[in-house]
Amino acid sequence: KNDLVAIRVPPRITYAQLLDKIQVRLGDEEINLRYRDSMHNDLVPLDDDIGLRDWLDGTERHMLYA
């Protein structure tokens, strides 16, 4: 399924809060978040607050894959 879903989040959201918001939109299915690394074009797992901060602070365009 290739649906595109946009959600607004506060700038200091935690990983747990982000996951909750995504699960509300996508349902209770298992969610594995990833983002595309702009340097290597690889999908990188996003699974904790540190990774979330690195991703949010390191890019201007924020797109996640679930």
Side-chain angles (χ1 to χ4, degrees):
K1 179 167 138 170
N2 290 323
D3 294 338
L4 179 63
V5 177
I7 58 172
R8 288 188 182 270
V9 296
R12 301 309 299 176
I13 193 166
T14 66
Y15 175 77
Q17 292 167 330
L18 177 62
L19 201 55
D20 286 345
K21 278 188 158 285
I22 292 170
Q23 285 182 320
V24 165
R25 293 295 292 273
L26 299 181
D28 286 334
E29 65 187 65
E30 183 178 333
I31 296 175
N32 296 306
L33 298 178
R34 300 171 315 274
Y35 65 91
R36 190 161 305 278
D37 177 297
S38 60
M39 296 286 285
H40 302 100
N41 205 32
D42 295 328
L43 285 176
V44 178
L46 179 61
D47 53 13
D48 60 23
D49 286 328
I50 294 170
L52 177 60
R53 275 301 116 226
D54 289 345
W55 173 65
L56 289 173
D57 294 342
T59 186
E60 292 180 21
R61 185 173 180 210
H62 299 107
M63 183 176 287
L64 285 176
Y65 301 85

